[in-house]
Amino acid sequence: MSRTVSSHTSPLPWVSRLKPYVPGKPIEELERELGITGSIKLASNENPLGPSPLAVTAMQCALASLHLYPDGGAYRLRGALAEQLGVTAGEIVLGNGSNEVLSMICRAFLGTDHNAVVSQYAFVAYRVVVGTQGAQLREVPAVSFGHDLSAMAAACDEMTRLLFVANPNNPTGTFSTVDELRKLLRSVPEHVLVVVDEAYFEYVDRPDYCSALALRQERGNLVVTRTFSKAYGIAGIRVGYGVMPPDIAATLNRLREPFNANAAAQEGALAALGDEVFLRRSVDLNRHERARLQAALAVRGLEPVPSEGNFILFRSPVGGAELYDRLLREGVIVRPLQPYGMLEHVRVTVGMAGENDRFLDSLDRVLGEGAR
Ligand SMILES: *Cc1c(COP(=O)(O)O)cnc(C)c1O
C-alpha cells in the first residue's frame, strides 16, 4: 500500500519564489510524445558537429580509471588553460559547466541584503543563481536587445556586489564593444565584482569586440567565464571555467565541491582545448550558416537580431509559443522565450546546412505564404 508523504519543512522564502531553469526540449521526449522520428533540435545552442573527436577519444580512455577520484586540483587542465590564456593556473577555477562557476561566485559574494545588476534579456541562469542567495536582481532595460552598459554601471549602489555582462549575450546574440566594455570596467564602483560571461566568445566575428581577458589591467575586480559546452562541443560532460585574480580564486576554492570537474570532463576538455581543427570547423560552419539563416529570416520579414553567437533571435508573426508548437509538430525543436518575457520571439540554434534548410522549410509551411 502506498500513501502520499509530504515534507513539513518550509524552504527558505526566496527558494520558494525561484522559477526552475527550463531546458530545451530533448528530441527523445518530443518523439515519444508525438510518435514521430527524425526530429531535429535547434534549441540549446549545442554544437551541430557533435563533440570534438579528440575529446571523445580522451574521455573513452578516462573510463578505465573511473574507480579513482579525479585530480581535485585539475593540474593538467588548469595548466593547459593557463598557458593558452597567458595567465597563471592560480587564476583559474573550473566548474561543472561554467554555470557552476557563476553559482560559486554568488554563494561567495551575495547575501540577502545585496543586489546583483544584470541586463534585461540577459541569460536567464543569472536570475536563478542570484535568487538562490535571496539577493535582489536589478534588471536594467535593454537597448535594441543589447546591454546598456552605462545604465548598468549607474544602477550599482552600495549594496551591489555583482554585475553580470554576457558578451555575447544569449538569447539575443548581441555584444558589447571593446570601448563600451573598457568604460564599464573603469566606471563600476570598486566594491562590485564584474563577471563577464564569454560562453560564445569563439564565435564572435567583429573587429570591435574583445575578450575581457585582454582588459584585465583595467580592473582587478573581474571574473571572465568560458565554457567547453558550445564551440568545443562537450556540453554533456559539463565543464567550464572562470579566470579571476588569485584571491578571488582562493575564495571560490573554499566553497567549491571537492571534485566538481569530473575525471572524464578534465580529460575531454584538455583534449578539446588542443583540437584546433575541430574548433576552426565549428566556427567556420557557424559563420557561414549563421549568415545564411540571418538572411533567410530577414527576407521573410522575421526581423532577426544580428547575432555573434551560434543562434539567432527572431520575431514570430504568430507569437513565440504558437510558432514553437507549430514547429514541434514538424519535428523541429526551437526555443520559446517566455522565461525572458519575450512573448513574440523565438531563438533558433544554427545547425548543419541540412538542418537549417529543414527548419526554413518547416517555417514556411507553418507560417504559410502570408508570412512572406
Ligand atoms: C550556454 C551558456 C553558458 C554555458 O553553460 P555551461 O554551464 O558551461 O554549459 C553560459 N552562459 C551563457 C550565456 C550560455 O548561453
Side-chain angles (χ1 to χ4, degrees):
M1 203 179 90
S2 75
R3 68 186 182 94
T4 306
V5 292
S6 63
S7 158
H8 296 285
T9 310
S10 303
L12 296 164
W14 54 86
V15 173
S16 301
R17 288 192 295 268
L18 290 176
K19 294 199 185 91
Y21 179 78
V22 184
K25 194 179 190 69
I27 286 183
E28 247 186 67
E29 185 181 306
L30 173 70
E31 300 197 333
R32 198 165 53 233
E33 285 170 6
L34 296 187
I36 58 175
T37 55
S39 307
I40 58 170
K41 182 184 178 199
L42 300 173
S44 297
N45 303 345
E46 291 146 337
N47 194 321
L49 291 172
S52 147
L54 295 189
V56 171
T57 304
M59 291 187 285
Q60 278 164 345
C61 291
L63 298 185
S65 306
L66 285 192
H67 59 299
L68 301 175
Y69 279 104
D71 170 8
Y75 179 81
R76 282 179 300 131
L77 177 55
R78 284 170 63 236
L81 280 168
E83 188 175 321
Q84 194 173 100
L85 301 172
V87 303
T88 63
E91 294 171 289
I92 296 174
V93 175
L94 297 178
N96 182 30
S98 56
N99 203 104
E100 196 203 14
V101 178
L102 301 174
S103 160
M104 284 190 264
I105 292 168
C106 290
R107 284 194 279 136
F109 294 102
L110 287 182
T112 51
D113 294 337
H114 299 136
N115 68 72
V117 173
V118 300
S119 173
Q120 181 186 20
Y121 309 140
F123 185 39
V124 77
Y126 309 147
R127 197 177 303 167
V128 180
V129 289
V130 170
T132 299
Q133 298 305 113
Q136 300 297 313
L137 196 72
R138 289 215 166 153
E139 219 177 74
V140 176
V143 171
S144 305
F145 296 100
H147 289 24
D148 182 345
L149 294 190
S150 312
M152 287 173 68
C156 294
D157 66 13
E158 68 280 7
M159 297 317 278
T160 305
R161 289 294 174 274
L162 301 177
L163 182 149
F164 291 93
V165 178
N167 198 26
N169 183 43
N170 166 25
T172 58
T174 51
F175 77 106
S176 303
T177 65
V178 189
D179 292 344
E180 290 167 340
L181 196 58
R182 185 182 284 115
K183 198 171 151 217
L184 176 91
L185 297 179
R186 289 179 179 166
S187 59
V188 169
E190 256 313 309
H191 65 275
V192 177
L193 175 60
V194 175
V195 181
V196 182
D197 177 350
E198 298 186 349
Y200 300 95
F201 153 81
E202 294 86 354
Y203 295 112
V204 184
D205 223 6
R206 300 271 313 215
D208 51 349
Y209 171 88
C210 94
S211 167
L213 281 183
L215 300 175
R216 293 209 312 157
Q217 74 285 354
E218 305 283 349
R219 183 182 189 86
N221 211 4
L222 170 69
V223 178
V224 179
T225 61
R226 299 252 181 101
T227 184
F228 286 94
S229 297
K230 309 285 159 56
Y232 292 98
I234 49 175
I237 202 77
R238 312 299 302 126
V239 57
Y241 60 93
V243 183
M244 62 204 80
D247 62 317
I248 299 181
T251 298
L252 297 196
N253 278 324
R254 291 174 202 273
L255 47 76
R256 187 173 61 82
E257 303 284 332
F259 306 106
N260 64 327
N262 72 67
Q266 289 186 33
E267 295 301 329
L270 185 61
L273 197 61
D275 196 347
E276 287 165 29
V277 174
F278 179 81
L279 182 63
R280 185 152 321 127
R281 273 185 69 212
S282 301
V283 170
D284 287 349
L285 169 73
N286 186 67
R287 180 183 301 114
H288 187 263
E289 288 300 310
R290 180 176 66 193
R292 197 168 70 86
L293 259 187
Q294 186 96 28
L297 291 166
V299 161
R300 288 162 172 80
L302 301 178
E303 301 171 32
V305 176
S307 172
E308 293 303 315
N310 64 345
F311 53 86
I312 300 177
L313 180 76
F314 66 96
R315 178 188 278 282
S316 159
V318 296
E322 174 65 21
L323 180 59
Y324 168 72
D325 279 336
R326 289 186 192 180
L327 287 172
L328 272 190
R329 277 177 253 127
E330 294 269 323
V332 176
I333 310 172
V334 295
R335 194 63 161 263
L337 297 169
Q338 291 96 324
Y340 292 86
M342 301 174 105
L343 302 183
E344 307 299 322
H345 288 79
V346 159
R347 188 193 72 194
V348 62
T349 299
V350 177
M352 300 295 284
E355 295 175 317
N356 301 332
D357 286 338
R358 168 135 177 232
F359 159 73
L360 290 169
D361 284 349
S362 295
L363 196 60
D364 287 340
R365 251 193 312 280
V366 304
L367 291 181
E369 289 301 308
R372 278 167 167 264

